[in-house]
Amino acid sequence: MRFTLLLAAACVTLAATASAQLTDLQPGRNFPNGPTAFGGNHTENIDIGDVDNDGDFDVIVANGGDSGPQPNRIFINRGGLQGGTVGTFQEQTNTRFAGVPNDTSRDIEFADIDNDGDLDIYVSNRGTNANGGETSRFYINQGGLQGGTIGFYSEDTNGRWGNLVSVPLSKEIGAQDGQGPWRDFSCDCDFGDLDDDGDLDLFHSSYGLNINGTEDARVFLNDGTGRFNELWPWINSGADIKTHTLDIDLADFDGDYDLDVFCASRDSQARVWINNCYSPVGDQPFQDTTQISLINQGATLTGGNNYEAEFGDLDGDGDFDVWVKNYNGNTDRLLRNNGPVGSGGVVTFTQMNGWLKGDPVVDENEVDFLDFDSDGDLDTFGANFSGTNWLYAGGLAQGLTAGQGYYHRTGTTSGGSLYSWDELPSSGNSQTSLDGECADMDNDGDPDILIGNDAGGANRYFENVLGVPDTHAPTFERFTDQCDKPAGSNTVIHAQVRDNDNYYVINYYNVDLEYSINGGGSFTTVDMFAQGGQQFRGVIPAQPSGTTVQYRVRATDTAGNVGLSVLRAFQQAGSTYNNIGFGLAGTSGVPALSGSGTWAGGTAGSINLTNARPFSVAGLFVGFTNNPTPAWGGMLVPVPFLGPFLLSTDGAGNLSIPVASFPKDIPCGLEIYLQYGIEDPVAIGAVALSNATRVVTP
């Protein structure tokens, strides 16, 4: 899904002093009036997205949670196709969300699960009974592949679950095995392309039946059509996110272009899992690195009480740091990403001591990043269940560092205030807040704030009236530096986009891959797929052998600012398998070594031997160095690094080694040399040698 939101506000210089710069747009002005106001009571979660593809953000609200069944709701922004005023909203639950039941929902998410260019909806339900609660639900947007009207939804829960894995009752209560819906005490979930195949997968946590619950997180892989099959086991120590897992977030911590996992829990250790998509540990693609990533580096989160974690580049070094909101009486933690360390490349986090001033130590449930003053760094909004909601001002743009208090609560002074806006209006405080979302809801170029409240409190919409539009273009922390590619192979390019916007809003940016052929002046544009975690994926189709391909990435943010990466190039090369000779004849002449496939990570191929002696032992030598050395009367080319792998030819003197999936972590441009030695009494030295073959990984 792509959005190009229009910048509507003129640039206004920030005044040295200002009155309150957030206006509480009371229900009845920008949202419907009445007892349920914006969203209803007992709101657990809010999400934003463009339901009708008209260029503005609409709103969905999850209600119920621990408080009992409530209907979920959808609100349509009246700008764009609606012909009204952008930033005003109308509830259209009964028409667009028809037949929505009363649920005990803890999370609601927009995601284009069927890759048809519109936003579908997933509802995560906690449930209220010992048999596993309610079924979590899929609602499919009827536009795109559905052939209906975009922005209208039909439930298709049963049709979206594929094979579900049976797990012990001690770990899950009331699970339904095989096909069909599943039920447990669901909580937070996040969609992202976990296996790098161009569709959105689902990482799901469970809240638990009670304080001592042991329900596990679950991982479901999208089959490309919007059906989800469970991945199990998915982690090297078992799927042990247990006991009130309240928040799950996906991001590439270690810079290898796959999505890792951070988990916040109320009652147990915060956890870190590194995605081994490019080098799976057996059949378990996630590795639990908590003991290295957190505990050993001083960022001790063993006591739980972690309600929420949010990612952002807090220190400006280009990687994802973490802000952890904690349960009542526990201070927030800012965790700095130190990058991968050690031979295993495990990422570590340390506490950013001295970077946070004025933490209220209250019952905080949600944190969201926004650049409230449009100065280019990340400010922060905090939603509190039993305390005051706060704005924290970031000081990176002002040159503040650790010890100076990088983050200050607004309205306070620490050595002279650098910030001109006041606190949230009093109507936004002490509202039993459970969630907040920050985005430009009125298309005027600055971020606004939505707040979801529990305990019957009306939800709130605060409009940013500071008057400073965003002029900061997206940047590219990294994007793929591609080696030459073999003939016939597509080229996958990843780009990690950074900006001064909300972490999840960047997923809605218009990001394009542009490429030109042989230095031509025109570029072909390919829409890049939003994988989650501010990462995008695009594919350059295979070009004729010898073609030089230049490529770059263009990103447009919600304010219309355009970022353009540097220009890079690669060449579409010749055959993957290059015969360099040095064969030694045997019974049937010189054995022939060839292969199929491109050696691109995750693709299939084979290594083939023909014209060898039938029913004979064959040893495959593999090395990374070309150094012809006398052996058995001929020349052994590879300097053996692996092997020989001893196999046997068939009755025709042939041998094929199928490769279901070449390892995804093989670096591009790696030279690999292959050669067979075959037991053969006719050959000089009783060993025939195949030709040597050079493989270059794409």
Side-chain angles (χ1 to χ4, degrees), residues 118-130:
D118 53 36
L119 290 177
D120 310 301
I121 295 172
Y122 180 75
V123 180
S124 175
N125 287 320
R126 180 188 185 273
T128 57
N129 64 76

Side-chain angles (χ1 to χ4, degrees), residues 472-483:
H472 301 274
T475 61
F476 306 93
E477 176 55 33
R478 60 179 65 87
F479 79 104
T480 307
D481 188 4
Q482 182 61 58
C483 298

Side-chain angles (χ1 to χ4, degrees), residues 405-426:
Y406 178 87
Y407 281 97
H408 296 265
R409 291 205 319 251
T410 62
T412 64
T413 301
S414 179
S417 178
L418 297 174
Y419 315 103
S420 62
W421 66 87
D422 292 347
E423 303 284 359
L424 291 171
S426 60

